[in-house]
Amino acid sequence: MTAIPDAFEIVGPTPAQQLRKRMFGHQGFLIGAVILVVLVAIALLAPVLAPHDPYAQSLGDRMLRPVFMGGTWDHPLGTDHLGRDYLSRLIYGARVSLLIGAVAAVISGVIGTALGVAAGYFGGRVDTVVTFLINVRLAMPVVLVALAVVAILGGSLSVVIGVLGLLLWDRFAVVMRASTLQIRGREFVAAARAVGCSTPRILLSEIMPNIVNNLIVVVTLEMAHAILLEAALSFLGVGVQPPTPSWGLMVSEGKNMMLFEPWLVLIPGAVLFVLVLAINLMGDGLRDVTAPENRN
């Protein structure tokens, strides 16, 4: 007679396998991730992919039209008013936009997350001080402050990154404070306190893993916001300075010819739109696949 085992081992998909399944089943996340990966790869491989030197000027070849408007394949997207290859400048411009967006989001994320988590967890005077700082920051118009600071310090790449990183932390602080207020009263946090866990351990092991999905969404939003602000500052002439390739600067340089050669503005504007859309799609997708209430 065959013995019947006392217990059966139930084998199911691991959390990592479930996460991968949700990611590959989320259409918006896949579209945003594919576009963003392609743009990052283009930026990293710019020296290989760019057909010409983005800084090389040739006044004899100025204002050549793109190939889809009757141009030649030697300059597939034409040339600008100084004869510089537009495709090469577009490829190198991806480096500037992605670098500014990523670094500014990291700087503002560290500042805002630290303030928001501290305010939400400790409450009392800490919450009062942080709330006051948030209100002060919200009363400051970002574009005007950035214009003033960059005009005083000069429009270099490092200055633009620093200014944007120090101005975009308020949304991190607000969201992290609200999320921490919801988590700090949960049973597992009280249990961690009861067994004698230190405050840093509770914050890192109990609070942060449960608010990381909200943090991901804010990171993507602020990264897209920083990219658009850099483009706006460059368009106004106080952001990244020429001859550095920048999509906002390319739009600014082409605005005078917009009625006669609209592609000078439409091409960098379209690429900027695609990048921001991809970041937002991927951020929304990450929120959906990491939030417990949205898991199917």
Side-chain angles (χ1 to χ4, degrees):
M1 186 174 179
T2 305
I4 300 175
D6 296 332
F8 295 93
E9 181 181 0
I10 300 176
V11 179
T14 64
Q17 292 173 335
Q18 293 177 347
L19 181 61
R20 285 196 298 269
K21 182 179 179 180
R22 288 193 297 272
M23 284 183 173
F24 284 104
H26 196 288
Q27 187 175 5
F29 171 79
L30 288 178
I31 294 173
V34 169
I35 295 174
L36 189 58
V37 167
V38 170
L39 291 175
V40 171
I42 289 174
L44 293 176
L45 299 175
V48 178
L49 298 177
H52 298 277
D53 184 351
Y55 301 98
Q57 301 179 15
S58 177
L59 296 181
D61 295 326
R62 60 189 302 271
M63 300 303 295
L64 296 179
R65 291 191 168 188
V67 68
F68 55 82
M69 295 181 65
T72 64
W73 284 103
D74 188 43
H75 298 283
L77 294 183
T79 58
D80 62 7
H81 65 292
L82 294 176
R84 297 172 297 191
D85 184 67
Y86 224 54
L87 177 58
S88 300
R89 291 185 64 78
L90 204 67
I91 292 174
Y92 274 86
R95 286 184 161 189
V96 174
S97 294
L98 289 170
L99 177 65
I100 289 177
V103 178
V106 169
I107 294 174
S108 57
V110 171
I111 297 172
T113 300
L115 291 175
V117 171
Y121 183 78
F122 295 106
R125 293 182 179 178
V126 176
D127 189 22
T128 302
V129 172
V130 173
T131 302
F132 173 76
L133 293 176
I134 293 174
N135 290 332
V136 171
R137 163 57 199 87
L138 292 174
M140 301 165 59
V142 177
V143 176
L144 293 180
V145 174
L147 281 172
V149 175
V150 173
I152 294 172
L153 299 180
S156 65
L157 185 63
S158 58
V159 170
V160 172
I161 291 175
V163 169
L164 294 180
L166 295 175
L167 285 177
L168 299 180
W169 57 266
D170 54 289
R171 189 175 300 179
F172 285 97
V174 171
V175 175
M176 292 300 99
R177 175 182 176 275
S179 301
T180 305
L181 283 173
Q182 295 176 352
I183 298 297
R184 72 173 185 178
R186 299 286 182 87
E187 291 80 3
F188 56 85
V189 177
R193 292 198 195 98
V195 297
C197 292
S198 64
T199 298
R201 181 180 176 84
I202 293 174
L203 292 176
L204 295 176
S205 302
E206 306 295 338
I207 301 294
M208 288 302 299
N210 288 281
I211 62 176
V212 69
N213 59 312
N214 294 328
L215 179 61
I216 291 172
V217 177
V218 182
V219 166
T220 55
L221 288 174
E222 291 306 318
M223 182 176 177
H225 191 192
I227 291 172
L228 290 175
L229 282 175
E230 179 275 324
L233 292 174
S234 298
F235 178 81
L236 295 173
V238 294
V240 177
Q241 297 299 302
T244 304
S246 165
W247 292 344
L249 187 59
M250 292 172 70
V251 173
S252 177
E253 292 173 343
K255 69 179 184 298
N256 294 328
M257 296 292 294
M258 186 170 58
L259 297 179
F260 308 100
E261 303 291 350
W263 55 271
L264 290 170
V265 173
L266 293 178
I267 291 176
V271 177
L272 188 62
F273 164 78
V274 170
L275 174 59
V276 173
L277 178 64
I279 294 173
N280 286 331
L281 285 175
M282 195 178 72
D284 289 342
L286 285 173
R287 178 200 59 194
D288 292 341
V289 300
T290 57
E293 64 272 14
N294 293 330
R295 296 175 184 173
N296 296 322

